Amino acid sequence: MKKKLLDGSFLYVIISIVIGFIIGALLLLVIGVNPGVAYAKLFSGVFSKPKFITYSIVYAAPLIFTGLSVAFSFRTGIFNIGAEGQYVVGSLAAAVIGILIPMPKGIHAIVCILAAAAAGALWGFLVGLMKVKKGINEVLSYIMLNWIAFYLSNFVVNIKAIHTDQGAEATKNIQETASIKMPSAMAKLTGCTDVHWGIVLAVLAAILMWFIMTKTTFGYQLRAVGFSRTAAEYAGISSNKIFLTSMSISGVLAGLGGAVQLLGMSERIPQFASQEQYGFQGITVALIGSTNPLGCIASGLFYGAMKYGGNKLTVVNVPTEVVNIIMGTIIIFIAISPVFKEILQKAVAKKEGGKD
């Protein structure tokens, strides 16, 4: 049992989270803030009311999707730094359908979600195609397409048929029939007016991805290519086909993240002054979740709670950037977790050897 704990990733994620909060506390002390007061506000800002808990879950939904997108590609040996662009084109496709095309309630939302999935898949497929056909490094292609998505979104936002006539630099709101908000009774029960079905979709997607990765032949092929492309090809697996499929599925997941955020909460797209960050935050979610689809549910909820609770820190005169520092520190220590693993394993082996 002890060996299994030391060999797994869960222990090192917990250690990294604890260190992240400790370093955050030290930085708060440096700027003259009582860490106890700040962390108490962060905690109460998430758990003191059902409304706060619900909002934390709502914040988590798109993060779980982008985390799944990154985690899925990681398992195939691909670093999907392009989830940001896939998220943006997904939300853009959902917005265009949700604003311009009238449909019956229920069907409208489904079509918007499918459009977002298709847009995200296309964005991922383009990178895969450039890698397979021309050998172009996927990281460079992802970064390029992130910015193309950024400026494409800003262009579409300002099209007359899409742009709001209320003076804001944003699109019109989606039609009510395209919304994925839960019934008003749920909003009254939780106190959260933005509660929507996104978290349910995110959990179902995580379970589906886990099943595909662990219980299917296709999942085995994905992991085989991730471990060794050469060995996989000797075994008769087409690595090019797997790359294209993996990148497309990753794009679908990130695109769905954009759709649920738009259809469930924001209901319109503003003109961007900077990147939305959901795709990049998905990298954090994937790493904290150990690139495990089910782990992304827990890490997405954790990050969602940190984002929502962090907004309350200004009440006690604490900069909200503290949350970013904590999350960044957690990722640094997860990245160097092999060092922790080696130290602990040697310590345990030495202790057990001394007993013998």
Side-chain angles (χ1 to χ4, degrees):
M1 182 68 180
K2 184 185 290 185
K3 186 178 186 302
K4 187 176 180 181
L5 182 64
L6 291 176
D7 289 342
S9 58
F10 178 75
L11 174 63
Y12 307 103
V13 169
I14 297 299
I15 291 173
S16 299
I17 290 173
V18 170
I19 292 174
F21 277 98
I22 290 172
I23 291 178
L26 293 175
L27 290 172
L28 288 170
L29 285 172
V30 168
I31 64 175
V33 175
N34 185 331
V37 172
Y39 286 164
K41 188 61 185 177
L42 180 64
F43 187 84
S44 66
V46 175
F47 296 107
S48 60
K49 294 181 181 179
K51 174 183 177 180
F52 297 164
I53 296 172
T54 307
Y55 264 112
S56 297
I57 294 171
V58 167
Y59 273 49
L63 293 172
I64 293 173
F65 272 114
T66 54
L68 286 172
S69 172
V70 175
F72 187 84
S73 62
F74 271 174
R75 289 299 181 98
T76 323
I78 300 166
F79 179 38
N80 182 11
I81 199 172
E84 179 70 16
Q86 295 154 10
Y87 171 95
V88 169
V89 296
S91 62
L92 186 61
V96 170
I97 300 296
I99 292 168
L100 295 180
I101 304 177
M103 294 184 193
K105 188 173 179 61
I107 294 175
H108 201 176
I110 292 172
V111 173
C112 289
I113 289 170
L114 292 175
L122 174 63
W123 229 241
F125 179 81
L126 289 174
V127 175
L129 194 63
M130 287 187 280
K131 179 179 178 66
V132 168
K133 295 295 184 182
K134 299 296 182 181
I136 299 172
N137 185 280
E138 67 272 18
V139 173
L140 298 177
S141 301
Y142 276 136
I143 293 172
M144 176 188 71
L145 284 171
N146 283 346
W147 285 106
I148 292 174
F150 175 88
Y151 288 111
L152 175 64
S153 179
N154 281 353
F155 171 77
V156 173
V157 163
N158 287 288
I159 293 175
K160 187 175 181 180
I162 301 287
H163 191 75
T164 182
D165 53 6
Q166 296 177 354
E169 293 298 323
T171 66
K172 298 173 183 177
N173 281 13
I174 59 168
Q175 298 176 40
E176 188 178 346
T177 51
S179 174
I180 60 169
K181 288 188 186 297
M182 289 186 178
S184 57
M186 183 62 74
K188 290 179 181 178
L189 179 65
T190 61
C192 174
T193 56
D194 292 315
V195 63
H196 59 77
W197 293 103
I199 188 63
V200 177
L201 296 175
V203 170
L204 290 175
I207 294 171
L208 178 60
M209 290 301 105
W210 172 83
F211 181 82
I212 289 173
M213 291 298 298
T214 61
K215 304 296 182 182
T216 67
T217 302
F218 175 60
Y220 169 79
Q221 293 174 338
L222 289 169
R223 287 181 284 117
V225 171
F227 283 127
S228 173
R229 180 176 180 177
T230 303
E233 288 180 343
Y234 271 115
I237 299 171
S238 172
S239 61
N240 287 345
K241 182 179 178 181
I242 293 298
F243 276 131
L244 285 170
T245 305
S246 174
M247 291 177 174
S248 299
I249 292 175
S250 294
V252 166
L253 292 165
L256 290 174
V260 300
Q261 178 68 4
L262 174 84
L263 302 176
M265 193 170 183
S266 63
E267 297 189 335
R268 65 177 183 173
I269 298 176
Q271 180 166 310
F272 298 139
S274 62
Q275 297 279 7
E276 279 276 77
Q277 300 298 322
Y278 279 99
F280 301 123
Q281 290 163 358
I283 298 173
T284 302
V285 171
L287 291 175
I288 294 176
S290 302
T291 67
N292 183 306
L294 299 183
C296 287
I297 299 174
S299 58
L301 289 169
F302 170 65
Y303 202 157
M306 291 289 287
K307 283 187 70 173
Y308 181 71
N311 292 334
K312 308 294 181 65
L313 290 177
T314 54
V315 176
V316 290
N317 297 317
V318 176
T320 57
E321 286 77 12
V322 168
V323 170
N324 294 330
I325 292 171
I326 292 172
M327 299 305 293
T329 304
I330 291 170
I331 291 307
I332 290 172
F333 280 92
I334 286 176
I336 62 173
S337 62
V339 177
F340 299 148
K341 182 180 290 189
E342 185 176 353
I343 292 171
L344 287 174
Q345 287 175 337
K346 284 183 177 180
V348 170
K350 185 176 180 181
K351 186 177 179 181
E352 291 178 348
K355 288 180 180 180
D356 295 338

